[in-house]
């Protein structure tokens, strides 16, 4: 399979249409829309906050030259109300990531759902078999999560990025891509192993000394813990900073003890 960039370059520019939207490549005339989206506190609430002026200017210059970035134009009044994009996922080579932003005035009426659904359907036609594709949103962003789940996407993984828990969504159902199914299988097996290791580590003398509720530790006590964090759960290691070997002990979101191995600093 070609890389995401190569695939995009071979099919770009592309325009998509839904019942209420026209998705067209971003142009220089969309600079005001880009500026609004990147500086609006509501739009950027789960995206790290409004961007500074220099970064906004850089995006305004780059988007018209970037394959895979659409302006979302409302058909009813020919107004551009948001952006949608698809591009390489930096977490996994060969996997594409869909992203989207809408002006608050366009929230609440399903336009985002139409846009994301159109982009995912288009990608499944462009790449044989659909190719792995994900969408990422903060776990706390219930509006965005509802949008993704409403078009049949399911949580593939959870990671800690930019200081917050992020949910990685992928298309679900019977047509789920084989690569994604394989990732899920591996993740499930790894989860089983880490939970078994966690129960064993908790049963040791060192493990029994840990409080059941790590949240009860004082800041001073937390500072004495190993700084390693788990890739899927993002839980800090509950062992002391100088513990050995490289078996780390933490908690899964459901409260179960987990333990994971590292061969390098996390």
């Amino acid at each position: 399979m070609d890389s995401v960039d190569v695939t995009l370059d071979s099919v770009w520019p592309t325009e998509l249409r839904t019942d209420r939207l026209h998705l067209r490549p971003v142009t220089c005339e969309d600079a005001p829309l880009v500026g609004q989206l990147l500086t609006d506190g509501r739009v950027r609430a789960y995206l790290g906050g409004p961007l500074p002026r220099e970064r906004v200017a850089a995006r305004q210059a780059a988007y018209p030259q970037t394959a895979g970035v659409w302006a979302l134009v409302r058909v009813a009044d020919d107004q551009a109300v948001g952006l949608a994009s698809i591009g390489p996922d930096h977490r996994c080579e060969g996997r594409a990531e869909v992203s989207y932003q809408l002006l608050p005035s366009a929230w609440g009426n399903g336009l985002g759902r139409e846009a994301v659904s159109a982009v995912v359907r288009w990608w499944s036609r462009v790449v044989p078999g659909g190719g792995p594709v994900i969408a990422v949103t903060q776990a706390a962003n219930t509006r965005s999560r509802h949008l993704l789940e409403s078009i049949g996407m399911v949580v593939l993984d959870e990671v800690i990025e930019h200081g917050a828990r992020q949910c990685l969504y992928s298309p679900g159902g019977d047509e789920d891509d084989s690569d994604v199914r394989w990732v899920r299988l591996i993740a499930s097996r790894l989860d089983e192993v880490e939970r078994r290791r966690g129960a064993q580590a908790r049963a040791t003398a060192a493990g029994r000394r840990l409080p059941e509720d790590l949240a009860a530790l004082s800041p001073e006590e937390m500072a004495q813990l190993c700084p390693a964090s788990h890739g899927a759960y993002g839980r800090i290691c509950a062992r002391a900073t100088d513990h050995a070997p490289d078996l780390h002990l933490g908690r899964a979101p459901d409260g179960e003890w987990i333990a994971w191995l590292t061969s390098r600093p996390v």
Side-chain angles (χ1 to χ4, degrees):
M1 181 185 297
D2 290 334
S3 71
V4 174
D5 281 329
V6 169
T7 298
L8 280 171
D9 286 341
S10 69
V11 297
W12 197 257
T14 293
E15 298 189 12
L16 306 174
R17 292 185 182 273
T18 71
D19 290 342
R20 296 177 294 167
L21 289 173
H22 174 203
L23 284 69
R24 57 159 177 76
V26 172
T27 69
C28 294
E29 285 69 34
D30 294 312
L33 168 69
V34 174
Q36 281 183 274
L37 290 168
L38 298 182
T39 58
D40 189 296
R42 292 166 295 177
V43 176
R44 302 288 303 176
Y46 298 99
L47 298 171
L51 295 185
R53 182 180 304 174
E54 61 273 14
R55 291 187 63 189
V56 171
R59 298 278 185 93
Q60 289 170 322
Y63 281 164
Q65 316 301 323
T66 304
V69 184
W70 291 272
L72 309 180
V73 180
R74 195 162 46 202
V75 173
D77 56 8
D78 201 35
Q79 291 295 307
V81 296
L83 299 174
S85 66
I86 190 165
D89 172 24
H90 67 85
R91 307 166 194 83
C92 180
E93 184 177 359
R95 187 168 67 183
E97 179 179 352
V98 178
S99 60
Y100 46 92
Q101 300 177 57
L102 274 79
L103 295 174
S105 60
W107 292 359
N109 55 14
L111 292 179
R113 181 172 61 248
E114 282 189 28
V116 177
S117 182
V119 172
V120 172
R121 287 198 308 270
W122 172 75
W123 187 252
S124 70
R125 295 195 302 268
V126 170
V127 181
V133 59
I134 63 166
V136 181
T137 191
Q138 262 197 46
N141 190 349
T142 55
R143 183 187 295 271
S144 182
R145 296 188 64 178
H146 177 71
L147 182 157
L148 296 172
E149 290 164 7
S150 73
I151 64 172
M153 299 188 83
V154 296
V155 176
L156 170 65
D157 198 359
E158 292 188 3
V159 298
I160 300 297
E161 290 182 349
H162 313 298
R165 186 160 59 98
Q166 312 284 341
C167 295
L168 278 67
Y169 280 84
S170 68
D174 295 337
E175 296 181 359
D176 193 7
D177 182 79
S178 59
D179 288 343
V180 174
R181 289 198 301 271
W182 177 250
V183 169
R184 286 202 183 106
L185 177 61
I186 296 300
S188 175
R189 297 286 174 81
L190 183 60
D191 184 83
E192 292 176 6
V193 170
E194 289 173 347
R195 286 171 184 268
R196 183 172 66 252
R197 285 186 188 141
Q200 293 169 345
R202 175 63 167 160
T204 65
R208 288 195 298 270
R209 287 197 295 270
L210 290 168
E212 188 65 24
D213 182 8
L214 296 180
L217 294 174
S218 69
E220 292 75 17
E221 290 171 323
M222 286 292 292
Q224 300 303 312
L225 298 183
C226 172
S229 59
H230 186 272
Y233 296 117
R235 292 297 189 265
I236 193 167
C237 176
R239 291 181 180 271
T241 53
D242 58 351
H243 78 86
D246 59 347
L247 179 71
H248 304 278
L249 181 63
R251 303 295 293 275
D254 61 5
E256 291 295 318
W257 289 93
I258 56 171
W260 65 98
L261 294 169
T262 56
S263 56
R264 63 184 188 281
V266 177

